[in-house]
C-alpha cells in the first residue's frame, strides 16, 4: 500500500472519531499540514463546515482570489485542498459561501498562529520540535502529591504586568527575563495566566476567544512561550493557564455560524446567546465540539508543558438559567445543563487519563454541584474549585468599619463550616480589582496606615486558612489604583516605603507558607485545623490551630480585626510548655511599629474552652500573630470540670 493510501486511511479514521466526539488530537487532521503527494511537497488544508455551499483557500500566496477551491467530503462534512503555493509566514483564511449563499472570510479554527490583532488571518508558521530541559521538574511532579504540597499562585495578565518605556507590552521573551526571577524572589509556587489564546479585543482580557490552538501573537511566538514555561520549571515554578470552553467571540469572521448555520453553537438561539457576556455558547453536547475543545486542552498541556488549566465560568456551563436571557427547563423540568455537566466530566476524565499529574481547576460560584472529587461519585472531576464564597465574605468583612465587625463576625468564620466540602483555592483575583470595585488596598477601612495593617492581616488569614492560595498581580505591594488591562502595573509605587514594606511582607509570608508543613500537609482533612475561639465577637479576635503530621509541629494563629491592641490576651493551647511568636504583622520591617516580638509565653494551668491550658500575650491592633510550640509536653491532661 502506498504512503498516500495509508494517510487517507488514517485521515478517514481520525475524522470518524472527530464526529463521534473521541478525537482528542483533531488538530492533527484539521488546519494545515505539510504532505507529499505525487512527488510534490506542499500543504493540505482541511476545515469542518458541513453546510457550506463552497469554500476557497485564500491568502497572500494567491492574492486572496478563488484559484484554490476546496473539495467537500459529503459523508463527513469537511473540505480539503492540497497546494504547493504557501510558504513560511504566508497568511491565509477560508472564504466560505454559507448555506444561504452569503460569502464570508473565516479564520481557520485550528490555526496555531495568527497575525497581530486587529487583523486575524492565520499564519503559516513551523514551530520546531523543542528539546525540553525540564525533566527534573516532571520527575518531582510525578513523585509528589500536589494535594499535600504548598500551592501559592501569582495570577498574571501577560500584557499588563509591565510595559516598555514606549508603552509596548512585554512579550514572553521579556517576561522570561523579568517575571520569572520576580515570582521566584517573591516565593510563589505557580504563575497563572489569564487566557493566552488568540482573542480580537484586549478589553475582553482574553475571555472571548477565536483561536483555541493559537498563542495570541500579541504575546509573541509559540517558541517564546515554550521557552518561558521551560525556564519556569527550571526555577521550580509551575504554570497554569485560563481556558474558556463555555463560550466564544461573536465576531462574524470567527466561529459564529461558521458554515451559515449553528455549527459550534447550540441550535436553540436562546441557548446559543450568552447575553451577560455578549458572546456565544458552545454546543457542549455536540460530538464534534467535544473533540474540538478537548483537543485544545490537551494541545496546551502538551505543546507548552502546562501544569494546569483553570476552566473559566463553569457555572455558565452547568445551569440553563445562569444567563440573563430567556431559558427553558431540561427534560426533567430542572435547570441542569446536562450537556455541559457531562462534557466537563468527560474533559476531566480524558485529561487525567493522559496526564494524572496535571491540575484541573474550576472557576465555579454555585454550591449545587460537586465540582471536585471522583467522577464515579457524581462530581465533575476537578482537582480544585475557586472558593468564591470565602472571597466574597472576607472582602465584605475587611471593607467594614471595625465598630460593626462584632455583629458580622460570621463572615470570617462561616467558611470553617464547609471548608472540606470541596478542594478549594482561596482567590483574591483580577475580578475583585476592576469595574469600580477598588483595589484590595483601597477596599480596606481607615487611613493609609490602617489599610496596610489590614491588608497584612487579611493576607495572613488567607495564608493560614485551609485551601491553596491565589493573589492577583500588583496586590502583593498594595497597589492603590484599580487594574487597567491596557497599562502596566504601578511599579512606581515601590518608591514609597509603605508599598515597598508591603511587598517585602508578602514575599516573607509566601516563604513562610512554603516552609510550614502545618499549612498544607493535612489539608485534605479536618485534621489540619482545630478552632480555638471563633466566638469572640466582642473583641473580634479569631484564633485557631493548623497542624502537620507531626504532633509537635503545629501553629497557633491569632487575628485581631479591630484597631484596639489586646493586652494580656488569653489563648487556649493543647499542651503544657512554652510557645514562641514567629510571625507578627506589625513588625517594623513589614510597615508596622513593633521593633521586637512578644516574649515566649509559658502556659498557665487554666483551661480555655476545650483546651487544658492557656497562654497570654499582646495582640497588636489590626494585627495577626503566629506562634509555635517551643518546648512542650505532649501528654495531655483532660479539661477541668466546668
Amino acid at each position: 500500500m502506498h504512503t498516500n493510501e495509508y494517510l487517507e486511511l488514517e485521515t478517514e479514521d481520525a475524522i470518524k472519531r472527530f464526529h463521534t466526539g473521541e478525537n482528542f488530537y483533531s488538530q492533527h487532521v484539521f488546519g494545515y499540514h505539510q504532505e507529499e503527494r505525487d512527488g510534490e511537497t506542499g500543504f493540505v488544508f482541511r476545515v469542518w463546515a458541513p453546510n457550506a455551499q463552497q469554500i476557497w483557500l485564500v491568502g497572500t500566496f494567491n492574492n486572496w482570489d478563488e484559484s484554490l477551491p476546496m473539495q467537500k467530503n459529503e459523508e463527513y462534512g469537511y473540505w480539503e485542498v492540497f497546494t504547493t503555493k504557501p510558504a513560511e509566514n504566508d497568511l491565509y483564511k477560508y472564504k466560505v459561501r454559507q448555506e444561504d449563499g452569503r460569502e464570508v472570510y473565516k479564520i481557520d479554527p485550528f490555526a496555531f498562529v495568527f497575525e497581530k490583532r486587529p487583523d486575524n488571518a492565520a499564519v503559516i508558521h513551523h514551530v520546531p520540535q523543542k528539546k525540553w530541559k525540564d525533566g527534573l521538574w516532571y520527575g518531582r511532579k510525578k513523585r509528589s502529591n500536589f494535594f499535600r504540597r504548598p500551592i501559592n499562585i501569582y495570577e498574571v495578565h501577560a500584557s499588563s504586568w509591565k510595559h516598555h518605556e514606549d508603552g509596548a507590552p512585554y512579550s514572553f521573551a521579556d517576561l522570561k527575563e523579568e517575571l520569572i526571577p520576580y515570582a521566584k524572589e517573591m516565593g510563589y509556587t505557580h504563575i497563572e495566566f489569564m487566557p493566552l489564546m488568540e482573542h480580537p479585543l484586549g478589553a475582553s482580557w482574553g475571555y472571548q476567544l477565536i483561536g483555541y490552538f493559537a498563542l495570541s501573537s500579541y504575546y509573541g511566538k509559540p517558541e517564546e512561550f515554550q521557552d518561558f514555561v521551560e525556564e519556569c520549571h527550571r526555577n521550580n515554578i509551575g504554570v497554569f493557564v485560563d481556558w474558556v470552553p463555555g463560550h466564544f467571540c461573536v465576531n462574524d469572521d470567527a466561529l459564529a455560524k461558521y458554515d451559515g448555520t449553528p455549527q459550534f453553537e447550540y441550535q436553540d438561539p436562546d441557548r446559543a446567546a450568552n447575553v451577560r457576556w455578549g458572546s456565544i455558547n458552545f454546543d457542549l453536547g455536540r460530538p464534534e465540539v467535544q473533540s474540538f475543545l478537548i483537543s485544545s486542552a490537551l494541545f496546551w498541556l502538551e505543546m507548552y508543558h502546562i501544569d494546569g488549566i483553570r476552566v473559566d465560568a463553569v457555572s455558565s456551563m452547568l445551569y440553563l438559567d445562569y444567563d440573563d436571557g430567556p431559558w427553558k427547563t431540561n427534560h426533567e423540568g430542572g435547570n441542569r445543563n446536562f450537556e455541559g455537566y457531562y462534557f466537563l466530566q468527560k474533559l476531566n476524565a480524558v485529561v487525567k487519563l493522559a496526564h494524572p499529574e496535571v491540575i484541573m481547576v474550576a472557576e465555579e460560584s454555585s454550591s449545587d454541584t460537586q465540582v471536585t472529587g471522583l467522577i464515579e461519585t457524581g462530581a465533575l472531576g476537578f482537582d480544585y474549585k475557586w472558593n468564591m464564597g470565602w472571597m466574597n465574605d472576607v472582602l465584605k468583612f475587611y471593607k467594614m468599619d471595625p465598630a460593626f465587625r462584632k455583629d458580622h463576625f460570621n463572615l470570617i468564620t462561616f467558611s470553617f463550616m464547609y471548608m472540606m466540602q470541596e478542594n478549594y483555592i482561596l482567590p483574591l483575583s483580577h475580578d475583585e480589582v476592576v469595574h469600580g470595585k477598588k483595589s484590595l488596598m483601597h477596599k480596606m477601612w481607615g487611613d493609609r496606615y490602617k489599610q496596610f495593617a489590614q491588608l497584612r492581616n487579611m493576607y495572613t488569614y488567607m495564608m493560614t486558612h485551609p485551601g491553596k492560595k491565589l493573589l492577583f498581580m500588583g496586590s502583593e505591594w498594595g497597589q492603590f489604583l484599580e487594574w487597567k488591562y491596557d497599562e502596566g502595573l504601578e511599579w512606581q509605587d515601590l518608591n514609597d516605603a509603605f508599598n515597598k514594606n508591603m511587598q517585602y511582607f508578602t514575599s516573607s509570608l509566601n516563604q513562610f507558607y512554603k516552609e510550614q508543613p502545618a499549612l498544607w500537609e493535612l489539608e485534605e482533612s479536618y485534621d489540619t485545623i482545630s478552632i480555638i475561639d471563633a466566638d469572640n465577637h466582642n473583641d473580634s479576635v479569631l484564633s485557631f490551630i493548623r497542624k502537620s503530621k507531626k504532633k509537635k509541629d503545629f501553629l497557633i494563629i491569632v487575628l485581631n480585626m479591630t484597631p484596639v491592641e489586646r493586652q494580656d490576651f488569653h489563648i487556649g493551647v493543647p499542651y503544657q510548655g512554652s510557645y514562641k511568636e514567629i510571625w507578627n504583622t506589625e513588625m517594623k520591617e513589614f510597615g508596622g511599629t513593633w521593633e521586637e516580638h512578644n516574649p515566649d509565653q509559658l502556659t498557665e494551668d487554666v483551661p480555655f474552652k476545650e483546651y487544658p491550658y492557656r497562654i497570654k500575650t499582646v495582640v497588636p491592633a489590626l494585627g495577626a500573630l503566629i506562634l509555635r510550640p517551643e518546648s512542650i509536653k505532649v501528654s495531655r491532661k483532660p479539661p477541668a470540670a466546668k
Side-chain angles (χ1 to χ4, degrees), residues 302-521:
E302 296 172 0
M303 175 75 170
Y304 296 109
H305 282 204
I306 297 300
D307 301 287
I309 290 174
R310 192 211 72 156
V311 179
D312 183 65
V314 167
S315 292
S316 71
M317 292 182 271
L318 289 177
Y319 306 108
L320 298 168
D321 59 346
Y322 180 81
D323 195 22
D324 299 326
W327 67 282
K328 304 178 185 69
T329 61
N330 59 35
H331 65 277
E332 294 182 352
N335 69 341
R336 165 77 73 208
N337 180 353
F338 286 110
E339 294 94 332
Y341 176 84
Y342 290 121
F343 165 76
L344 291 167
Q345 286 188 323
K346 181 176 181 178
L347 165 71
N348 285 313
V350 171
V351 168
K352 284 297 185 178
L353 183 62
H355 303 286
E357 74 284 356
V358 160
I359 298 174
M360 297 295 289
V361 180
E363 189 252 336
E364 205 275 329
S365 55
S366 77
S367 58
D368 295 335
T369 301
Q370 186 70 25
V371 173
T372 62
L374 296 175
I375 292 170
E376 292 81 358
T377 66
L380 295 179
F382 285 96
D383 297 304
Y384 291 103
K385 170 184 175 177
W386 275 21
N387 193 336
M388 311 297 280
W390 175 90
M391 176 272 298
N392 281 307
D393 287 348
V394 165
L395 293 181
K396 184 177 180 180
F397 182 83
Y398 277 90
K399 285 189 284 188
M400 190 180 298
D401 187 317
F404 303 108
R405 289 178 180 173
K406 64 181 180 181
D407 299 319
H408 301 277
F409 205 58
N410 64 305
L411 288 173
I412 60 161
T413 61
F414 179 62
S415 57
F416 293 135
M417 302 294 291
Y418 66 85
M419 61 186 172
M420 296 299 159
Q421 290 181 7
E422 303 266 15
N423 299 323
Y424 286 115
I425 290 176
L426 308 180
L428 294 173
S429 74
H430 67 276
D431 273 328
E432 312 319 314
V433 295
V434 289
H435 298 324
K437 295 179 183 178
K438 301 180 181 179
S439 67
L440 296 184
M441 167 65 179
H442 198 182
K443 293 180 199 291
M444 300 295 107
W445 168 87
D447 60 30
R448 195 160 185 252
Y449 182 90
K450 293 184 177 70
Q451 287 178 322
F452 275 108
Q454 289 171 103
L455 203 60
R456 296 192 298 267
N457 184 301
M458 184 174 72
Y459 290 176
T460 302
Y461 175 56
M462 176 178 75
M463 208 62 74
T464 56
H465 188 291
K468 307 307 184 187
K469 328 296 176 185
L470 179 142
L471 187 67
F472 185 59
M473 63 183 196
S475 302
E476 70 269 23
W477 70 74
Q479 177 172 305
F480 187 79
L481 297 179
E482 284 189 338
W483 167 59
K484 300 180 181 68
Y485 75 90
D486 54 351
E487 297 181 15
L489 295 176
E490 302 287 327
W491 291 95
Q492 63 270 24
D493 286 351
L494 295 175
N495 295 322
D496 179 273
F498 274 121
N499 292 114
K500 190 67 178 175
N501 288 336
M502 186 69 214
Q503 184 191 47
Y504 175 69
F505 169 85
T506 304
S507 173
S508 300
L509 182 61
N510 291 346
Q511 297 291 353
F512 181 86
Y513 166 69
K514 290 196 296 184
E515 293 165 1
Q516 301 295 328
L519 296 179
W520 37 263
E521 198 171 49

Side-chain angles (χ1 to χ4, degrees), residues 212-230:
Y212 276 76
F213 295 83
L215 175 76
S216 175
S217 55
Y218 201 67
Y219 301 137
K221 296 180 179 179
E223 301 94 307
E224 292 176 328
F225 186 50
Q226 286 181 324
D227 290 345
F228 176 90
V229 174
E230 178 181 73

Side-chain angles (χ1 to χ4, degrees), residues 15-140:
I15 290 173
K16 281 181 181 178
R17 288 186 287 110
F18 176 76
H19 283 282
T20 61
E22 298 299 325
N23 186 338
F24 307 132
Y25 293 91
S26 49
Q27 74 274 15
H28 291 171
V29 66
F30 292 105
Y32 73 85
H33 302 279
Q34 197 167 40
E35 283 188 13
E36 185 177 314
R37 293 189 180 182
D38 300 324
E40 290 188 303
T41 299
F43 293 93
V44 61
F45 291 78
R46 294 190 191 91
V47 62
W48 171 58
N51 295 307
Q53 292 185 18
Q54 178 61 53
I55 300 181
W56 296 267
L57 173 65
V58 299
T60 51
F61 43 81
N62 66 349
N63 295 315
W64 303 94
D65 64 24
E66 298 179 1
S67 60
L68 289 171
M70 304 179 78
Q71 302 301 312
K72 184 179 183 182
N73 181 296
E74 294 291 346
E75 182 177 4
Y76 295 113
Y78 71 91
W79 299 75
E80 177 181 317
V81 65
F82 176 82
T83 175
T84 60
K85 292 184 177 182
E88 185 79 4
N89 297 321
D90 273 340
L91 307 179
Y92 74 96
K93 288 187 178 184
Y94 297 122
K95 184 177 181 181
V96 180
R97 180 179 294 157
Q98 297 180 317
E99 186 188 48
D100 62 359
R102 179 171 173 258
E103 294 184 354
V104 183
Y105 289 93
K106 289 283 193 177
I107 67 163
D108 180 358
F110 290 90
F112 296 147
V113 178
F114 287 91
E115 59 183 335
K116 279 195 173 181
R117 61 176 188 248
D119 298 318
N120 67 353
V123 181
I124 303 288
H125 177 71
H126 173 68
V127 181
Q129 185 72 32
K130 182 174 177 61
K131 295 181 179 178
W132 288 86
K133 300 174 183 177
D134 58 356
L136 286 176
W137 168 262
Y138 267 85
R140 284 194 296 268

Side-chain angles (χ1 to χ4, degrees), residues 565-582:
E565 185 174 273
R566 303 298 176 186
Q567 297 279 342
D568 295 329
F569 188 81
H570 289 106
I571 306 161
V573 295
Y575 305 117
Q576 189 178 35
S578 65
Y579 291 80
K580 184 180 187 65
E581 180 182 289
I582 58 172

